[in-house]
Structure formats: C-alpha cells, structure tokens
Amino acid sequence: DSVGFVIRQVDGGLYWNGTTGKWQAEAFTNAATGSHGTRMYAVTGDARRAFVDTSVDVTLRATKGGTTYTSATGATIQVR
C-alpha cells in the first residue's frame, strides 16, 4: 500500500520527479510521508528553486491491495 502526490506544472504541463529533482513529461508519483489522515510531501534544498514563480496542480494517488485511487480534484498552488 502506498500514498503519494502527483505534482504538475499548470503552464508547462510537466511533472515533478522528486527522486531526480527535475521536471519531466511523464506523470510521477512522489511518495508521501505521514500516516492515516495526515499525508505530506516536502520539496527541500536546491530542488525548491525549480518551483519559483510556478503554479502547480497537486493530485493525491493511493494504492491499496493492487487498486490505485486518484483524488477527483486537486489543489492548484502558486509558488513564489
């Protein structure tokens, strides 16, 4: 079982890959931390620079028992 976040640039349509620290064309699920009702994903260090002046859509994706669930609506966040 897993929970993660898909982060997509609103303008460029690229997806954040937290493993490589780069934007890419293919969707990527970034692993969430936390448990039960509280999940989060943090972009830290130099990778934060890739988000300056960017708007992103965030979607939650969870997998349980081999079935993947995706949130119906995500949040759009403006990063400055």
Side-chain angles (χ1 to χ4, degrees), residues 14 18 47-48 65 73:
L14 297 175
R48 293 179 298 172
T73 58

Side-chain angles (χ1 to χ4, degrees), residues 9-29:
Q9 289 177 330
V10 171
D11 291 338
L14 297 175
Y15 295 88
W16 179 250
N17 180 328
T19 301
T20 64
K22 297 181 180 181
W23 297 101
Q24 64 184 38
E26 304 83 29
F28 184 85
T29 303

Side-chain angles (χ1 to χ4, degrees), residues 61-64 66-70:
R61 185 174 285 169
T63 302
K64 179 152 180 82
T67 302
T68 299
Y69 303 90
T70 302

